Amino acid sequence: MHKWSVDKIIAIGLIAALLISILTFVWTGKGTELQNTIAGGLVGYLSRTLQDFAGDKKEDSPCK
């Protein structure tokens, strides 16, 4: 069984919410504010996660 990290679960949830909001926009023509908010949150969360990941790799490096 795969181990899912909290970061993966949150990222997948944000991507799913963004896709649902895009589909809702196609059918109703409304929801661009929601798409912008979700996309901004996804970009911000992923950039923070990548910075944390890069910081962890630097601390684990044998070269200091």
Side-chain angles (χ1 to χ4, degrees), residues 21-48:
S21 69
I22 290 171
L23 290 174
T24 303
F25 174 74
V26 169
W27 283 316
T28 64
K30 297 179 182 178
T32 56
E33 297 86 10
L34 180 62
Q35 290 175 15
N36 291 336
T37 303
I38 293 173
L42 179 61
V43 169
Y45 185 78
L46 290 178
S47 65
R48 183 185 62 83

Side-chain angles (χ1 to χ4, degrees), residues 2-62:
H2 297 284
K3 291 186 178 182
W4 289 75
S5 69
V6 174
D7 294 331
K8 282 185 184 179
I9 293 170
I10 292 173
I12 289 171
L14 284 170
I15 291 169
L18 182 59
L19 291 175
I20 291 169
S21 69
I22 290 171
L23 290 174
T24 303
F25 174 74
V26 169
W27 283 316
T28 64
K30 297 179 182 178
T32 56
E33 297 86 10
L34 180 62
Q35 290 175 15
N36 291 336
T37 303
I38 293 173
L42 179 61
V43 169
Y45 185 78
L46 290 178
S47 65
R48 183 185 62 83
T49 302
L50 289 174
Q51 287 176 350
D52 290 346
F53 181 73
D56 291 344
K57 288 291 183 184
K58 285 182 183 178
E59 291 175 3
D60 292 342
S61 174

